[in-house]
Structures are given as structure tokens and as C-alpha cells.
Amino acid sequence: MHSPYKNDFQAAATQAANESAFESELNILKDIFRLLPTSVTVQDENGEFVLVNDAAAAALRMATAAPEASHLNDRRETCLELLRSGRPAVLEESIAGGQTKQVFLTSHRPVRIAERNLLISSSTDISEQKAFEEHLFRSAYYDELTGLPTRRVIEHRVNSLLKYDNGQSLFALAFLDVDNFKHINDYYGHSVGDALLAEIAKRVGLDLRDTDILSRISGDEFVLLLNPVESESEVAEFIRFILQRLKTPFFIDQSEIFASTSIGVSLYPEHGRSYEELRQNADIAMYRVKNGSKGAAAFFDASMEREALARMKVEQALRVAILEKRFCCAFQPKVDIRTQELMGVEALVRLRDDEGVIQAPSTFINLATELGLIDELTHLVLAEIVKSIDLINENFGPDTTISMNVAAKQAGNLEFMRSFAQAIEATGFPKRFMIEVTEDAFVTKTHFQDEILPIFRKLGVKISIDDFGIGYSSLSALADITADEIKIDRSFITDIHKRPRSQGILRAIESLSEALGMTVIAEGIETFEELAYLQAATKIRYAQGYYFSKPIFLEDLKLTTPRASEARASQISRPAQENRPTYSRAGGYRR
């Protein structure tokens, strides 16, 4: 017979076991909830937190400790708004604590459980993703060196102004370019050049309004938007203030650097009704300053546009001339002033225009350098020398040194100078060449002295310092220079017999050059008096100038060019010819 309490006991035991299992499962769920890596919270109808796991608690503690602890209030307001609307939402939340900033992507979902309206929220930390996005944004829209907005930012701002304007407002666009920045880079190094750009940006950026924008658009070029402005005179006054501020020296890396900036200005709507037109006209005005005194400012006017169009035609003509190889060489002798013997010739490039007129290098060399065409032009000159080598040998002798000029910009370009050295070696007679570079190549911080010079030395190519005395060096700089020849600039030679101070400088250069084993050549001898002074009062033996000979076009000598020279022009590999019959000019030099 069974006890009547047995079933009750069993039922109670079963219930207790179920409750124990439920309690155990609940504890497991609580631990899981607490340890979830994702931040999870539950808020009630009043915005109070009912449940908070560890990840959420850590974020909330950081929010509470933040100087501006408004995050919790914002969270409460968001909860109440979403519970009222009954709609889910996904929002970004930022929490700043001390030096760190965290960004969360939070999903909010209103629910009703046990007759209560609750808001369940889960957050994912997207701080690294947002930091990467911000980095990409700054890379696209802000200059890394100066922190200034990029070209696209200022262009977008101007286009926005133009979109909603009817031509009644007035603003100015200024184009700023640092003068002689390449020289600063070469002399002091690129790190100092970069620091200078950053300091210039700071100085120009002082006193700008929130509606103004300064942008670095490339290299050493900046564009400044002044908006709004009342008149041209207001803009001119502010630009003068900027120029005056930039005249104060910059102290960078223990160096005192003086820098100036050329500025061109265009006004809307007078000088253009699009960003590109305004920028281009400001650029044209800036180049007017560059071609003048530099370190000044100019407003655009119509005459500048005509000049720019004329310049563009010259540029196009120069490009066509290089493409069609319409260049030739004239050769000017270097003469021993004691014996009148020829000791070398200098190859001087000339351009034949569309009408066959010979153009001097002053009309195109600087432009070719500016347009990046000078390297190709230098190779064309070398090809002309190779093409004319038989006539050179015939008229000047097979052992005559042939001098070529290399622009200052090229002398520090390791890649170009290597290719140029290879081209000289390919001629088959590299030891006959002398490369003329200005003194800047030696005293600036380029690769020339340490890396480029040894390449040419190995080939037997000689080095000449051209236009000595008018660059940035001093006599003491000669002690560190490895060169074969110094050409004293004609500015020291002109009327030397009348100028005692130039005579003293000439004696100093002569003495130091002699001590260092360098040949001295006087450039620009044009009168007998100049020659007579050098012969009587100096030890200088060599000179060149119109007194001895103008640059000579070999075809004008009316000698027949051997056919072999044409073949060599393409192969440039044959050694110099054997001695040929001499040629002497009546009353001129001899060899």
C-alpha cells in the first residue's frame, strides 16, 4: 500500500530539481551576458539602465570620467525618444576619455517584455575603422606637410560660392609662389625646405577669417581665398601686409633663411566667373611678378593675358623645334693669349626658327629649363657635336678640348648626369670633353661633388666652373672644389684696365686657382685694352671672347663634311680622327 504523501514528495522533488536547473541555466546566461565582447545594455521606460554587461560598463565608466560627461544624458534622451517612436535605430556614438577617443556603432531595438517597455542596445567598437577613415579623408583633403586644405577643397569652396551667387558679391583669389625655392632646397636640404613651407603657411594663415581659405596646391605654390572683400584696395592692403610679414627671416635648423613670395591676385567677378579662370589669371599675374622684381604682388589685367598667350606660342614653338631637332651649334675658341694658340672650343647651342633665323640661347634656354626640356636639348647638342666631329677635327685639331654647358638644375640631377655620362662615353672620345657647370653645383647640397663628379672623372671628362664670381660661393669655397678650369665671368673682365677693385679680385682668384692647380680662363675679352692688361698685369694665359673670334658655324667655313661623320652621328662610337691638315684664320688664333 503506497503512502499518500509519496506522490507529493516526488512532485516537490521534481519541481525543486527543475527550479535548480533553471537557476543554473539562468546563472550561465547571466555569465554569458556579462562576458560578451560586445557592449550590451537594457534600459527601461525612464532611461535607466536595467542590465549592463562588462564591456558596456567599461565604456560607461570612461564616459563618466570624461571632462564633458554628456554621453549618459545623450543615451537617456535617445532611449526615451526611441521608446516613444517604437522604431529601431543604428547610431554612431563617440566617447572621449583623456587622450583616447572611442567610437561605437550602436544598434538600438525597442521591445516589450513582462509588460515593460525596454530598449536593448548593442555596441561594436569601430574606433580603428573611424581612425583609418579619418586618415584617408585628411590624405585626400588636407596637405600632410602644412595641414592646409588641398586643391580640391578650395576649388569646391569657390564653386559653391559661384553656384549661389548672382555676380553681386566680391571675393579675391591669390596665387602665391615661393621665390628661388629650388635654390633653398639645394643649398639647405629638402628637410629645411619642407620646414620653410610649413612656416610660410603659418605666417600667411595668421589673421585669416573663418570664411577665408589658404590651400597648398603643389610644391611651393599656395592659393588663398579672401571672402568676402569690399574692394581691390582692401585686398591690396592685406596682401602687402602678408608680403611684409614674409620678409622677416625664418630660423630653421640653426639657419637664418630669407625667403620671399611672389603673389598674383584675381577678383571675382571682374577677372573671371569660374574657379579655373580665376586661378589661371591669378597665376598669370604671379608670373608677371616673377619676371620682374619678385617678392611683390600684382593684380591681373588684360595685358597680362596677351603676354601669356604670346609666351604659350613661344613654348609651343620650342617644343616643336626640339621635336624636329632644329638646333645647331656654334663654336667659340679658347685661346692662349701669350701665343695665340688654340687650346679648346666651347659648343654654344643655337635655334633656327621657322624662317631660318638663328636665335641666341638667351631666348630659349631659361624657358627650356622651366618646361623640363633642357635634358633633351643637352642631348641634342651632344648629338650635333658628334655629327660635326670631322669638321671640328679639320678646323680646330683632333686633340682640341670640346666644352659643353650643363644647366645648374641638371648638375644636381643624378639620374640625368648618369645618362649624360653614358652618352659621352658612347661617342668614343670622352676625354676630349669638358663639362661647364656653375659654381652653385659644388657649394649646394646636391649629389654633384660626391656622386656625379667621380663618374665623369672615371671617363677622363674634365670639369670647368662657369661664370665664376657671380654665384653664391666665396673664394674659400674653391678649396673644397675639384675642377680643372675656372672661367672668370665677363662682368669682372669688362674694362678691367679701368677698374682697380676688379683687378684685386682677379689677382685673388688667380692666386688661389694657381695654388689649387686649376686653369684660369678669362671670359668676354672684347677689346685690345682688356687683353693688354691681362698680358701685362696677370699670369692668366687663356681667354675667350669676341676679340679673338665670334662663335663660328662650321658650315660657314665652307669645308666639305666627310661622309663618315654622318655615320658617326647615329652610332657615336668611333674614336677621334688622326691629325688632318691645319686651318688657320688670318689675323686670328693659330694652333
Side-chain angles (χ1 to χ4, degrees), residues 306-549:
R306 290 191 293 270
E307 290 177 6
L309 290 174
R311 173 190 165 88
M312 187 179 300
K313 290 181 179 179
V314 174
E315 289 182 10
Q316 291 173 344
L318 180 58
R319 293 182 187 277
V320 171
I322 290 179
L323 186 64
E324 296 179 353
K325 297 180 173 55
R326 286 199 271 110
F327 290 89
C328 57
C329 285
F331 296 89
Q332 187 172 41
K334 297 178 180 180
V335 180
D336 186 326
I337 62 176
R338 314 291 173 177
T339 66
Q340 297 294 300
E341 290 182 352
L342 177 72
M343 54 87 64
V345 292
E346 180 180 358
L348 301 170
V349 64
R350 298 291 188 265
L351 168 65
R352 296 185 190 274
D353 64 19
D354 293 336
E355 298 176 356
V357 178
I358 300 295
Q359 301 289 333
S362 59
T363 63
F364 60 84
I365 286 292
N366 289 338
L367 183 58
T369 303
E370 184 181 326
L371 297 176
L373 302 173
I374 191 66
D375 291 354
E376 189 173 357
L377 181 55
T378 303
H379 279 288
L380 285 177
V381 172
L382 180 60
E384 283 296 307
I385 291 173
V386 173
K387 182 179 177 180
S388 305
I389 192 62
D390 287 319
L391 273 179
I392 293 173
N393 293 340
E394 183 76 30
N395 293 285
F396 303 119
D399 299 319
T400 303
T401 299
I402 305 168
S403 296
M404 283 188 63
N405 288 280
V406 170
K409 182 178 181 179
Q410 297 171 291
N413 185 334
L414 183 58
E415 182 179 355
F416 166 75
M417 294 301 279
R418 278 177 176 163
S419 69
F420 187 49
Q422 291 170 357
I424 289 178
E425 183 179 18
T427 65
F429 44 92
K431 293 183 180 180
R432 294 185 62 181
F433 284 94
M434 178 175 286
I435 303 304
E436 296 190 6
V437 297
T438 59
E439 57 199 278
D440 297 348
F442 291 91
V443 298
T444 57
K445 295 180 179 179
T446 65
H447 304 279
F448 187 82
Q449 179 83 354
D450 298 328
E451 298 182 51
I452 296 173
L453 190 58
I455 297 174
F456 288 89
R457 286 287 182 209
K458 187 176 180 180
L459 296 176
V461 177
K462 298 179 180 65
I463 302 297
S464 174
I465 306 174
D466 196 15
D467 301 331
F468 187 82
I470 62 171
Y472 294 92
S473 69
S474 62
L475 290 179
S476 61
L478 282 176
D480 298 322
I481 291 177
T482 306
D484 302 283
E485 176 183 278
I486 292 178
K487 298 183 74 174
I488 301 174
D489 187 74
R490 62 173 298 177
S491 61
F492 292 99
I493 303 301
T494 301
D495 292 332
I496 184 69
H497 54 290
K498 301 177 183 178
R499 300 161 60 195
R501 297 188 67 179
S502 292
Q503 294 168 9
I505 295 173
L506 191 61
R507 285 193 296 269
I509 297 175
E510 178 188 0
S511 298
L512 188 53
S513 302
E514 184 179 16
L516 296 173
M518 301 183 196
T519 300
V520 177
I521 291 188
E523 286 191 283
I525 303 293
E526 296 189 358
T527 67
F528 172 77
E529 289 78 11
E530 293 167 354
L531 174 62
Y533 175 83
L534 294 180
Q535 290 174 328
T538 75
K539 296 180 182 179
I540 294 175
R541 290 207 53 166
Y542 304 106
Q544 81 184 82
Y546 277 31
Y547 179 80
F548 305 103
S549 173

Side-chain angles (χ1 to χ4, degrees), residues 250-280:
F250 296 84
F251 294 92
I252 300 172
D253 195 20
Q254 300 181 338
S255 296
E256 185 180 21
I257 301 174
F258 290 86
S260 64
T261 301
S262 297
I263 303 176
V265 185
S266 60
L267 298 173
Y268 171 81
E270 181 181 354
H271 301 144
R273 291 179 175 270
S274 70
Y275 169 79
E276 190 55 36
E277 187 179 5
L278 290 166
R279 186 208 59 78
Q280 184 176 9

Side-chain angles (χ1 to χ4, degrees), residues 218-231:
S218 67
D220 58 339
E221 297 177 333
F222 301 83
V223 171
L224 173 62
L225 169 66
L226 298 175
N227 173 60
V229 295
E230 295 294 331
S231 63

